[in-house]
Amino acid sequence: MITGLWRWRGNPLRRATDALEAWVALSALLAMLLVAPLVGAAVGASSSAALNRAVQVQHDSRHRVQATVDKISGHYRVDPDPETSSHQDTGARVQADWQAPDGTWQHGSVASGRAHPQVGEAFTLWVDDQGRPVAPPMASGTAGVHAALAGIGAAGLTVGLIEGLRRLAVWSMLRRRYAQWDTEWAKAGPDWGRTGTGS
């Protein structure tokens, strides 16, 4: 881009559109280097703040309790995604008893997080304020990873948008250039190759 500007510097064959194309390319490069990181940082910071608020709400409204296996249901489930799986949503399902944060006793079918639980065995269960089983709260590290990915994605989309605008501008200049060539050829075409025509 910069070499393109230098190449057209003082060149007698340079057209106005040649220099303009080089300036458009240079402007796009500078925008990619300056604007895209700022957009990515802003989106990442915004996402991080929102996710950290959500994590705090989850930690405030979800409670870890001890449940006791009452009966084995026999079902087994494995979640292959380490981001979404936990000890609570994998393993054999059991009928269990647990005490809710308000002191009432609850009974229900839950995932034990263990492949071979035994009747009477205790395991950890996450529940909401009413004692209903819920997923564990999101870890702060996971929220940070998601925020970083959002920022990187926003920066990448910004770069793509800038490149798309650059290509659109160059395409528009090329169309205008071809239209000018057609007009000039239409004027010179009938006299092409004839001597003494004054063309």
Side-chain angles (χ1 to χ4, degrees):
M1 298 171 188
I2 296 173
T3 56
L5 280 172
W6 185 261
R7 185 177 70 240
W8 289 118
R9 181 176 169 270
N11 191 323
L13 298 177
R14 182 191 68 186
R15 296 162 295 201
T17 55
D18 295 324
L20 186 58
E21 279 183 36
W23 279 112
V24 166
L26 179 61
S27 300
L29 175 64
L30 291 176
M32 288 178 190
L33 294 176
L34 299 175
V35 176
L38 291 176
V39 170
V43 170
S46 175
S47 299
S48 178
L51 286 169
N52 284 328
R53 281 193 301 272
V55 167
Q56 187 60 49
V57 168
Q58 288 182 4
H59 277 276
D60 291 342
S61 63
R62 299 180 186 187
H63 312 278
R64 189 197 312 250
V65 299
Q66 287 295 310
T68 305
V69 177
D70 182 50
K71 180 181 175 185
I72 312 297
S73 298
H75 301 293
Y76 186 77
R77 176 176 178 261
V78 175
D79 189 339
D81 185 357
E83 283 294 318
T84 60
S85 65
S86 70
H87 67 280
Q88 184 169 319
D89 62 0
T90 59
R93 291 195 69 80
V94 297
Q95 296 292 324
D97 298 303
W98 65 91
Q99 190 173 21
D102 62 4
T104 61
W105 282 92
Q106 305 288 326
H107 179 83
S109 175
V110 294
S112 66
R114 298 184 178 158
H116 305 289
Q118 304 295 320
V119 173
E121 184 178 10
F123 64 95
T124 300
L125 182 69
W126 284 92
V127 297
D128 63 12
D129 292 330
Q130 287 74 42
R132 293 174 300 214
V134 293
M138 182 188 298
S140 298
T142 302
V145 169
H146 287 306
L149 290 174
I152 292 169
L157 286 174
T158 303
V159 168
L161 177 62
I162 292 169
E163 175 61 13
L165 292 174
R166 183 196 71 80
R167 287 175 183 252
L168 184 62
V170 170
W171 175 76
S172 178
M173 285 186 280
L174 282 174
R175 282 194 59 188
R176 217 172 13 245
R177 181 186 300 163
Y178 291 151
Q180 289 173 349
W181 285 354
D182 287 342
T183 302
E184 292 172 8
W185 180 252
K187 291 177 185 174
D191 295 334
W192 185 261
R194 299 180 186 174
T195 56
T197 58
S199 57

